Each structure stands twice: as structure tokens, then as C-alpha cells.
């Protein structure tokens, strides 16, 4: 029995040592593939590629310089060089964090469960050896390093594979690899993933009402407990205790006793208020948290920042005129830091915080009175603060701010709030506040472009989230003008098309004082999901998207892995499924939803409809158990077991509904990123195994 237990633990430990890899389209430089209008001339990629025409020409010149006389070997080598243009090149050319000179060559039959096409089952690495082993060519990329692994290309005279490698086995040990369920390999053709049938959508989403308050933002407590923070648009943040699923309890929240009250700083109106909150990943120890809000410089002396309409972006605020009675840049977007330190013996026990700013992170004046986003999030993989900013308002982004990389409007910013810059650095980079620029942001100093930018071409990003199982999936919903609402996968330096495109549709702005961007001059990344306004209401202007989360709770196992999003007007909710998994290809379906009859707080229904009267769906939320919440104008709703609303889910009866304790050890995903824990676990398992045989 001891041997069996030890062997099982050892096997599980070995599994944990393998880092997860995600097969979705991504280029070597971490940018999204380009959308091509025509096929590349040298490399046979069309529709989507990691190469533009200039890079295609460079690869052609590199191939010609190799001077390969054998036509069969030349064809093989051309395909290997062109793999840099593959939409999956980031994975093909990287093992761990180590770049490779050539892609991972398929060298064994792929897993039966692999998402890669069965065409990759051929032993391409052996084919390369058999075809080219005795062919001489220049500048071989197959030179070994001192340790016998794949090395960097060397400048040499003509050489053969046999000059570097003693056998096919040695060659394929260095350059080969098998595709698995979490990776891809190169077989001489563009990577293709299996096309499988799209799973049937769930029969319905069941909700229970657990709170009566109206909140704009929710953040799970970073200590992993069953607590979460809820923020109102007016400027208050509450700390609440979340009841267990099925307990019949409601949200434990004292409305008269907020965690912090920032209403003196926040300007609140229909389009303004506290737009986002973010708690530092190490909040339980350092007490740091951040609020994103709007202020009115006519009412508060602390509302001071540069105007986003300025000479750098060819905008003169004196020519804008008033908008809803407000002067240009009278209202500003602010991100400020606060602390819970000193309010309890340790921050994780704090039930209140100080309303005084510790540090002003960011302030920027807004040209108009709408489209200013405002959500803030910490990236789970990099720890940087992401700040979502709309195009600033005005019909059709008249000054084309979203496409202008000298402007921060219509952008997703990525800021380092852990390393404070000096006054000289702030002045040198012309920063908008007190933060540093991450070294791998797309635009470096001296380019004249805003170094804060991570992605651009957005109209008004309204609710973004990182997938808790796959942090590389950064999803944002972007509110459309009057035709299309979209969901995008956000990648480094991605251009999401606005105002050239509204979703996948070409857009013609009614006014263009700031100039135009032509469709042929950009490579937009089109949405992976979305809907037209006519999908929810025939009345023009009656739709506005609210982004959600990938559902990762087992409370509703039929919803697991689907991305949930909704329309603000609460009459439609969608669940998107990616197929194949990690391919970037999504389909979505409207999902019926209702409120359980045994809901802790009574739900009302829309007149003449079975739909619950949610009012407006402002945001979604996710707690530490990965349960999903709808923050609506009529209250807080939680996704629960489908059977409580009489929806059938065949997986519900065979899946454990118990969620892991919030204080339990790290999840599988977090253990994959903690090598120290893995080594300790492996060592312990080996010791148990040895003891089992003694």
C-alpha cells in the first residue's frame, strides 16, 4: 500500500514539473498575427501570418544566401525558414524561455488527444535528416552548441548535417519534438488544429440573488478567503463576506460602514464616477490598493492633469467647444494609490482603509464627457497594472485618438507601480504621473510614441479579465458605436481597428478634424466574439456590451471553460466556446437565464417575460472559488447549480460540487509556476518511494 501511495505521488509530482504551454496564435515577439489581404510572395501564408511583406523578403534573401543545390532539400529548408511566419511561431520557436534557430520539428506520432491536426503525425524531423543530411549549403541553422543542443546560426562555409551530427537520433534529440495536448510542432506545413464539432451550448444559466446593492466593480480579497470588495460608482468600497453555495445566505455587507469612502474626490454622474478598483497581489502583507475614478477640476483642487487634447496629437482644446455643458478637460481620469496599513495589526485583517491618497499614479484630462473606460487590473503573470482607456468621446472618435500612438485615448496601458520613477525620469519620458514603464512595453523612449501603451484601437473597453487558468488569454469587451459590440483577445501591440473598423465592419466617421487612417495602412485584430445591435433590439443605440469571465468553477460543470458576456440592458447573455481549445477560434450562443425560486433574496421578473428583472448589467465578478457574479443595477447575482432553475446538465450529477477551501494550498496552475514547491514535492515523493521499497 505504501509503495502504491508513493508511486502515485511521484507520478503526480512529475506531472507538476512540466510547465503549461498554450497553443494559440502568437508571434515570436509576443504580438498577435497580422491579418493579410494577399498571400505572401515567398512564404505561403495567407489570411493570418507573423510576417509582413518586408519580413517575407528578408526570409527570401536568407534562403537564397544558403545556396542549396538539391531541390528536395531546398524545399524542406524553405518551409523551415518560413515557419517564422506561422501564426503559432511563438511556440514553435521557444522552449521554456529559450529561443530556437529553427522550429520544433515533429518527430513522433502526436497524442490522440492533441489539438494539432493529424497531419503532424508524420516524422518530419526524420524526413529533414533523410533529405538534407548529405547536402551542402551555406549558413546552416543546425549547428550544435557546446552542450549538444540546438545552437545559434553560425557563419561558415558549405556544410552538411553530418558535419555537425553523428546520427539522425542525435539530430532529432536536438531539434525534434512531439506535439501534445498543450503544444504544437512543425511538420513542413502551416500549423493546423483539429476541427471538431462545437459542443452544444448549456441549456441555461441559473442565478441567485445575494445582495440588493448596486455596484460597478468587484475584486476578490487577495488573501484567498471567502471575502470580496465591492465598489459603487459614487466612490465607496465595501468589504463583504460571501456566503457558501447552497447555504441560503446573502452577502455579508454593512452598507453604513464602507471599507473606504472616496466620495469627496470622485465626481459622480451618469458617465462618471469610480470606474475601477485593484488590490495589489501582495495586499494581504503590504495593504496597497488602487482606485480609478473621475474628478471635476471645477470642484476639487486635486483634479489637476494635462489635457489629452494637445499639440502632440494635433488637437486644440479651445476649438472643441463644450460637451453637455462641460469645458474640454474639465473632467479627468485619475488612478490613485491608497493603503490599509495602520488600520489593523496586519492588512489581511483590515476592515477599513485610509481615504487619503498615498500616491497619485495617473491624471489625464478628458476631451469629452464619455468613452473613458477606467477599469484597472493587475496582470496575474507579470504583476503590472493594466489601465483601460476609451477614445475620449465624441461621435466616431473625431480626432482619431484611438489610432494615434502619441495619444493614450483608446488604449490599454501597462504600468509598473512597484518601482517609483525619479522626477527626472518622469520629466524625461513626459509621463502622466508617478509610475515606471515596463521594459518590454511595445514603445521605447525616444520614439515620440506613448511608452505606456500595451494595445490600441479601442473605442471604450468595458470590462476586461484574465483567464484564471490561462493568463495569456486577456479578454476585453469593447463598446461599439451603433452597429457592433465586440470581445477581443488582447495581445502586446495589438491594433483592434477602431475607428477604421467597428468590430469586423468598416466604419466611416462623420467628422474627421484629426485626419483619417485608411484600412490598407493597418493590420487590425478582429473580434473573436460579439453581436450586432439588431441581435438584442431593433432600436438603434440600444446595445452596449459588458465583458465577463471564462467560467472556471465546477458549480455549473456545463458552463466550464466558456466565456460569459452580456448586454448592458440585461435582456441577452452569451457563452462563448473556443474550438479547438487554445486555437483562438470562438463561437458564441445566447444562453437562457433565470433566477432560482429558492434564491436567498427574492428576484422579480420583467413584465411579460420569464427573464429576471436585473435592470442593467454593469459588470461581472469572480471570487476566490472561481464562482461568477453579475453586478446589476437591481443587485448582486451569483451563478449557481443549473438544477436549481430546472435546467438539465448531465455533468452536474457526476461532478463534485464542493469548491476547494479558500485557504487551501495553491491551485494546479499556480503550482506549475512555483519550481521550488515542485522540487520539494518531487523530493518528498522520491523519499516516500524509497521508503516504500525498504
Amino acid at each position: 500500500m505504501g509503495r502504491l501511495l508513493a508511486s502515485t505521488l511521484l507520478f503526480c509530482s512529475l506531472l507538476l514539473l512540466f510547465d503549461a504551454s498554450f497553443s494559440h496564435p502568437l508571434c515570436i515577439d509576443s504580438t498577435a498575427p497580422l491579418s493579410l489581404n494577399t498571400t505572401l510572395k515567398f512564404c505561403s501564408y495567407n489570411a493570418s501570418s507573423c510576417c509582413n511583406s518586408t519580413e517575407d523578403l528578408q526570409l527570401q534573401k536568407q534562403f537564397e544566401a544558403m545556396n542549396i543545390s538539391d531541390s528536395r532539400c531546398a524545399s524542406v529548408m524553405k518551409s523551415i525558414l518560413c515557419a517564422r511566419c506561422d501564426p503559432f511561431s511563438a511556440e514553435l520557436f521557444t522552449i521554456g524561455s529559450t529561443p530556437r534557430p529553427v522550429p520544433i520539428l515533429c518527430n513522433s506520432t502526436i497524442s490522440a488527444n492533441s489539438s494539432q491536426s493529424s497531419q503532424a503525425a508524420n516524422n518530419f524531423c526524420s524526413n529533414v535528416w533523410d533529405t538534407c543530411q548529405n547536402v551542402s549549403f551555406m549558413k546552416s541553422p543546425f549547428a550544435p552548441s557546446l552542450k549538444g543542443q540546438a545552437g545559434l546560426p553560425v557563419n561558415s562555409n558549405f556544410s552538411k548535417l553530418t558535419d555537425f551530427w553523428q546520427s539522425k537520433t542525435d539530430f532529432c534529440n536536438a531539434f525534434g519534438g512531439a506535439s501534445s495536448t498543450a503544444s504544437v510542432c512543425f511538420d513542413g506545413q502551416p500549423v493546423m488544429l483539429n476541427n471538431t464539432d462545437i459542443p452544444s451550448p448549456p441549456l441555461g444559466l441559473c442565478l441567485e440573488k445575494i445582495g440588493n446593492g448596486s455596484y460597478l466593480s468587484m475584486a476578490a480579497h487577495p488573501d484567498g478567503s471567502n471575502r470580496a470588495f465591492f465598489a459603487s460608482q459614487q466612490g465607496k468600497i465595501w468589504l463583504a463576506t460571501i456566503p457558501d453555495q447552497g447555504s441560503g445566505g446573502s452577502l455579508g455587507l454593512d452598507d453604513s460602514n464602507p471599507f473606504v469612502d472616496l466620495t469627496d474626490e470622485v465626481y459622480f454622474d451618469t458617465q462618471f464616477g469610480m470606474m475601477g478598483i485593484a488590490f495589489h497581489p501582495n495586499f494581504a502583507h503590504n495593504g496597497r490598493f488602487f482606485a480609478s475614478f473621475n474628478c471635476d477640476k471645477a470642484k476639487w483642487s486635486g483634479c489637476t492633469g494635462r489635457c489629452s487634447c494637445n499639440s502632440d496629437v494635433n488637437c486644440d482644446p479651445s476649438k472643441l467647444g463644450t460637451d453637455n455643458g462641460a469645458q474640454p478637460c474639465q473632467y479627468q481620469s485619475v488612478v490613485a494609490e491608497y493603503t490599509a496599513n495602520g488600520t489593523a495589526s496586519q492588512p489581511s485583517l483590515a476592515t477599513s482603509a485610509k481615504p487619503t491618497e498615498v500616491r497619485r499614479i495617473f491624471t489625464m484630462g478628458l476631451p469629452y464627457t464619455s468613452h473613458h473606460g477606467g477599469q484597472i487590473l493587475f496582470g496575474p503573470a507579470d504583476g503590472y497594472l493594466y489601465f483601460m482607456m476609451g477614445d475620449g468621446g465624441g461621435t466616431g472618435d473625431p480626432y482619431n485618438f484611438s489610432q494615434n500612438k502619441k495619444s493614450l485615448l483608446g488604449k490599454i496601458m501597462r504600468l509598473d507601480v512597484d518601482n517609483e520613477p525619479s522626477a527626472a525620469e518622469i520629466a524625461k519620458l513626459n509621463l502622466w504621473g508617478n509610475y515606471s514603464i515596463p521594459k518590454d512595453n511595445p514603445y521605447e523612449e525616444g520614439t515620440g510614441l506613448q511608452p505606456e501603451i500595451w494595445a490600441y484601437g479601442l473605442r471604450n473597453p468595458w470590462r476586461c479579465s484574465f483567464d484564471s487558468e490561462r493568463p495569456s488569454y486577456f479578454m476585453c469587451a469593447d463598446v461599439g458605436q451603433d452597429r457592433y459590440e465586440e470581445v477581443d483577445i488582447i495581445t502586446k501591440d495589438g491594433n483592434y481597428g477602431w475607428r477604421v473598423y467597428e468590430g469586423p465592419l468598416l466604419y466611416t466617421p462623420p467628422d474627421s478634424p484629426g485626419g483619417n487612417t485608411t484600412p490598407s495602412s493597418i493590420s487590425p485584430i478582429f473580434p473573436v466574439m460579439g453581436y450586432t445591435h439588431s441581435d438584442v433590439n431593433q432600436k438603434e443605440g440600444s446595445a452596449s456590451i459588458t465583458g465577463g469571465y471564462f467560467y472556471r468553477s465546477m458549480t455549473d460543470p456545463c458552463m466550464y471553460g466558456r466565456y460569459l458576456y452580456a448586454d448592458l440592458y440585461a435582456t441577452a447573455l452569451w457563452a462563448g466556446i473556443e474550438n479547438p481549445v487554445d486555437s483562438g477560434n470562438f463561437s458564441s450562443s445566447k444562453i437562457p437565464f433565470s433566477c432560482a425560486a429558492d434564491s436567498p433574496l427574492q428576484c422579480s421578473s420583467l413584465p411579460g417575460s420569464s427573464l429576471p428583472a436585473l435592470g442593467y448589467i454593469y459588470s461581472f465578478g469572480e471570487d476566490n472559488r472561481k464562482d461568477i457574479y453579475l453586478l446589476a443595477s437591481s443587485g448582486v447575482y451569483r451563478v449557481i447549480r443549473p438544477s436549481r432553475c430546472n435546467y438539465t446538465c448531465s455533468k452536474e450529477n457526476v461532478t463534485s460540487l464542493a469548491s476547494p477551501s479558500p485557504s487551501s494550498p495553491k491551485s494546479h496552475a499556480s503550482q506549475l509556476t512555483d519550481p521550488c514547491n515542485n522540487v520539494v514535492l518531487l523530493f518528498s515523493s522520491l523519499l516516500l518511494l524509497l521508503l516504500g521499497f525498504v
Side-chain angles (χ1 to χ4, degrees), residues 324-403:
N324 292 322
Q327 296 294 324
C329 294
Q330 176 179 332
Y331 303 122
Q332 313 220 347
S333 278
V334 172
V335 177
E337 178 179 344
Y338 301 86
T339 184
N341 283 339
T343 61
S345 59
Q346 54 188 16
S348 62
L349 300 176
T351 57
S352 65
K354 301 173 183 177
T356 305
E357 289 185 30
V358 173
R359 175 165 56 130
R360 176 65 61 85
I361 302 297
F362 183 96
T363 314
M364 184 174 71
L366 302 166
Y368 302 103
T369 59
S370 59
H371 308 173
H372 45 80
Q375 186 186 11
I376 49 177
L377 288 173
F378 277 99
D382 56 28
Y384 293 127
L385 186 70
Y386 290 77
F387 180 22
M388 278 51 85
M389 176 62 67
D391 66 11
T395 302
D397 188 12
Y399 282 86
N400 203 20
F401 290 131
S402 289
Q403 288 297 318

Side-chain angles (χ1 to χ4, degrees), residues 335-553:
V335 177
E337 178 179 344
Y338 301 86
T339 184
N341 283 339
T343 61
S345 59
Q346 54 188 16
S348 62
L349 300 176
T351 57
S352 65
K354 301 173 183 177
T356 305
E357 289 185 30
V358 173
R359 175 165 56 130
R360 176 65 61 85
I361 302 297
F362 183 96
T363 314
M364 184 174 71
L366 302 166
Y368 302 103
T369 59
S370 59
H371 308 173
H372 45 80
Q375 186 186 11
I376 49 177
L377 288 173
F378 277 99
D382 56 28
Y384 293 127
L385 186 70
Y386 290 77
F387 180 22
M388 278 51 85
M389 176 62 67
D391 66 11
T395 302
D397 188 12
Y399 282 86
N400 203 20
F401 290 131
S402 289
Q403 288 297 318
N404 189 339
K405 288 180 277 191
K406 293 183 178 181
S407 170
L408 290 179
L409 295 169
K411 309 298 189 296
I412 291 177
M413 292 173 256
R414 184 173 179 252
L415 313 175
D416 181 352
V417 295
D418 287 336
N419 295 292
E420 293 191 37
S422 64
E425 288 176 303
I426 293 175
K428 178 183 178 183
L429 294 178
N430 201 27
L431 301 180
W432 295 78
N434 194 356
Y435 51 86
S436 295
I437 302 297
K439 299 299 183 184
D440 58 340
N441 271 18
Y443 306 114
E444 299 177 357
E445 59 181 275
T447 62
L449 308 180
Q450 296 288 305
E452 297 89 345
I453 295 173
W454 182 252
Y456 63 106
L458 296 124
R459 182 177 178 272
N460 192 30
W462 190 251
R463 292 352 205 189
C464 306
S465 66
F466 290 90
D467 183 1
S468 60
E469 284 199 2
R470 304 172 300 175
S472 61
Y473 274 65
F474 180 22
M475 313 295 289
C476 275
D478 194 22
V479 178
Q481 179 72 47
D482 51 27
R483 291 193 294 169
Y484 197 87
E485 307 292 311
E486 65 185 273
V487 178
D488 301 300
I489 299 179
I490 302 300
T491 61
K492 178 181 178 180
D493 201 23
N495 181 354
Y496 294 89
W498 176 253
R499 67 177 185 167
V500 183
Y501 291 89
E502 181 185 357
L505 310 173
L506 277 170
Y507 178 79
T508 302
D511 193 21
S512 302
N516 277 316
T517 299
T518 61
S520 60
S521 67
I522 66 171
S523 298
I525 300 173
F526 291 121
V528 294
M529 289 173 280
Y531 57 96
T532 64
H533 285 210
S534 60
D535 287 339
V536 295
N537 198 312
Q538 295 296 325
K539 183 179 178 182
E540 184 177 332
S542 63
S544 176
I545 195 170
T546 300
Y549 288 83
F550 278 103
Y551 188 84
R552 294 300 181 187
S553 169

Side-chain angles (χ1 to χ4, degrees), residues 153-198:
V154 295
N155 294 320
S156 63
N157 294 324
F158 283 98
S159 59
K160 306 175 183 178
L161 296 184
T162 51
D163 293 336
F164 298 131
W165 305 95
Q166 293 183 355
S167 67
K168 181 192 301 185
T169 300
D170 290 339
F171 175 77
C172 287
N173 282 340
F175 296 100
S179 177
S180 69
T181 56
S183 65
V184 295
C185 59
F186 186 68
D187 74 331
Q189 301 293 329
V191 171
M192 299 291 291
L193 300 181
N194 290 326
N195 291 318
T196 56
D197 292 335
I198 299 172

